[in-house]
Amino acid sequence: DRIASAVADVFDVPAETLNSSRRLRSLVIPRQMAMHIARELTRLKLVEIGQHFGNRNHSTVVHACRKLEQRMKDDVRLRRQRAQAVEALRPGH
C-alpha cells in the first residue's frame, strides 16, 4: 500500500486506482512502476504483487517490469519520477 501511495502521489492519481483491475491508459505506467518498485524493494512473490495490483498474474508483473525498464532507458522524466517515488518510501519521509 505504501508503494502504491508513493507512486500515486508522483503521478497524481488516486492510489486505489493502481490496485483496481481497470485498464485505463492513464494508469498503465503508474501501475507498472508500482509493480517494478514492489519487485525491487520487497520480498513478495510475483503472484503476490500481481494480486495486489488488480488481481493480475505473475507473467503480467514480469511484463510490466520489462516494459517500464524499456521506457526508462529513453525517458529521463520517467526515471526521475521513479526516483521520486522510491525516495518517498525511505524512512523519515
Side-chain angles (χ1 to χ4, degrees), residues 38-74:
R39 186 175 183 195
E40 182 180 319
L41 299 182
T42 71
R43 293 183 178 181
L44 294 174
K45 295 178 181 173
L46 295 174
V47 169
E48 295 169 314
I49 294 170
Q51 286 172 345
H52 187 77
F53 292 104
N55 207 25
R56 287 162 168 78
N57 63 38
H58 76 282
S59 62
T60 302
V61 177
V62 171
H63 176 74
C65 292
R66 286 183 182 150
K67 288 296 283 186
L68 186 74
E69 288 170 11
Q70 287 175 345
R71 285 184 171 116
M72 285 193 303
K73 286 179 184 177
D74 300 322

Side-chain angles (χ1 to χ4, degrees), residues 1 7 10-11 13 22 25-26 31 34-35 43 45 51 55 58 63-64 68 76 80 90 92:
D1 288 338
V7 171
V10 169
F11 285 92
V13 296
R22 296 187 72 188
R25 181 172 286 187
S26 61
R31 186 180 289 126
M35 289 182 192
R43 293 183 178 181
K45 295 178 181 173
Q51 286 172 345
N55 207 25
H58 76 282
H63 176 74
L68 186 74
V76 174
R80 232 181 267 130
R90 296 201 190 287

Side-chain angles (χ1 to χ4, degrees), residues 6-7 10-11 33 37 41 72 76-90 93:
V7 171
V10 169
F11 285 92
M33 184 171 292
I37 292 171
L41 299 182
M72 285 193 303
V76 174
R77 182 174 181 229
L78 194 58
R79 289 194 302 266
R80 232 181 267 130
Q81 288 170 310
R82 184 189 177 287
Q84 190 178 352
V86 170
E87 182 63 29
L89 293 167
R90 296 201 190 287
H93 280 262

